[in-house]
Amino acid sequence: MKTLTIGVLALQGAVSEHLAQLAQLNVRGVAVKRIEQLAELDGIILPGGESTTIGKLMRQYGFIEALQQFAQTKAIFGTCAGMILLAKQIVGGEQPHLALMDITVQRNAFGRQVASFETDLTVMGLAKTVPAVFIRAPYIVETGKDVEVLASFAGHPVLARQGRLLACSFHPELTKDVEVLKLFLALC
Ligand code: GLN
């Protein structure tokens, strides 16, 4: 099998931790700063950070259209802020985003900084629970019919898939567990 090349959008946010997890799985990881780099990728990760900042930079550098195009043939994984950027709708807010995945998300849904926490999640299709770090995390408030919810926390969907799109509320890259990343690589 050919070695996968996976990008991590590197405009703002938790980039290096994703690259480290990719390296751990012997996948070639690329920090993506320009749209020209998308051509060599099998998939891309949109990291956590500040979705308003990342979205504005995406618009400024042409990533909105380029990634909408990319999604027609390639896989995208949005973590935390990245989930917000993938969502069709964001509750109460207009901010630049990709609007690719048929979900509605609520930002900072568990409360502000004080509500950051770690928990173990049961994920559909995985035998063991996975540790999940939530930092001012969003959750999904509505899903379209093609969206499959893979994990929930406190009754709210926090990991979901639609075709080649995967989105999670938490930061899988901040733990030692690579199972959620493997779910994404299977889509690439
Ligand atoms: N609260 C951030 C936002 O709304 C997301 C936080 C994160 O990515 N850890 O963009």
Side-chain angles (χ1 to χ4, degrees):
M1 208 179 85
K2 111 174 177 16
T3 312
L4 289 173
T5 300
I6 302 295
V8 181
L9 187 67
L11 302 176
Q12 191 261 337
V15 176
S16 57
E17 294 86 351
H18 278 296
L19 291 171
Q21 277 203 338
L22 289 166
Q24 197 185 326
L25 293 176
N26 296 317
V27 171
R28 189 169 158 253
V30 179
V32 175
K33 292 181 190 286
R34 291 173 293 106
I35 56 170
E36 293 74 31
Q37 293 174 277
L38 296 176
E40 62 164 329
L41 306 179
D42 298 299
I44 191 166
I45 298 172
L46 311 179
E50 188 55 43
S51 61
T52 48
T53 306
I54 300 175
K56 278 182 201 153
L57 292 170
M58 282 168 75
R59 187 166 61 189
Q60 190 175 332
Y61 296 115
F63 274 104
I64 302 280
E65 300 73 20
L67 284 172
Q68 284 167 340
Q69 189 78 27
F70 184 86
Q72 294 184 8
T73 53
K74 307 274 178 69
I76 306 183
F77 180 20
T79 63
C80 203
M83 169 193 261
I84 298 165
L85 292 163
L86 275 181
K88 278 240 160 81
Q89 291 186 73
I90 303 163
V91 173
E94 251 333 294
Q95 58 186 79
H97 62 292
L98 295 166
L100 282 168
M101 191 167 175
D102 200 3
I103 55 175
T104 302
V105 299
Q106 167 85 54
R107 292 179 64 199
N108 301 310
F110 296 99
R112 292 261 165 194
Q113 198 72 42
V114 280
S116 298
F117 57 95
E118 187 168 347
T119 188
D120 290 318
L121 288 178
T122 301
V123 176
M124 199 191 286
L126 297 184
K128 280 201 241 149
T129 59
V130 300
V133 178
F134 290 78
I135 304 170
R136 293 180 302 115
Y139 60 58
I140 299 171
V141 292
E142 231 175 280
T143 55
K145 64 171 170 37
D146 297 330
V147 176
E148 188 184 5
V149 174
L150 302 178
S152 294
F153 178 72
H156 306 287
V158 292
L159 173 64
R161 184 178 91 99
Q162 179 183 351
R164 278 183 294 262
L165 304 173
L166 186 70
C168 68
S169 299
F170 49 93
H171 286 261
E173 79 287 4
L174 298 183
T175 71
K176 288 197 166 62
D177 193 287
V178 290
E179 293 307 314
V180 176
L181 176 57
K182 283 191 194 163
L183 287 180
F184 174 60
L185 296 178
L187 304 178
C188 293

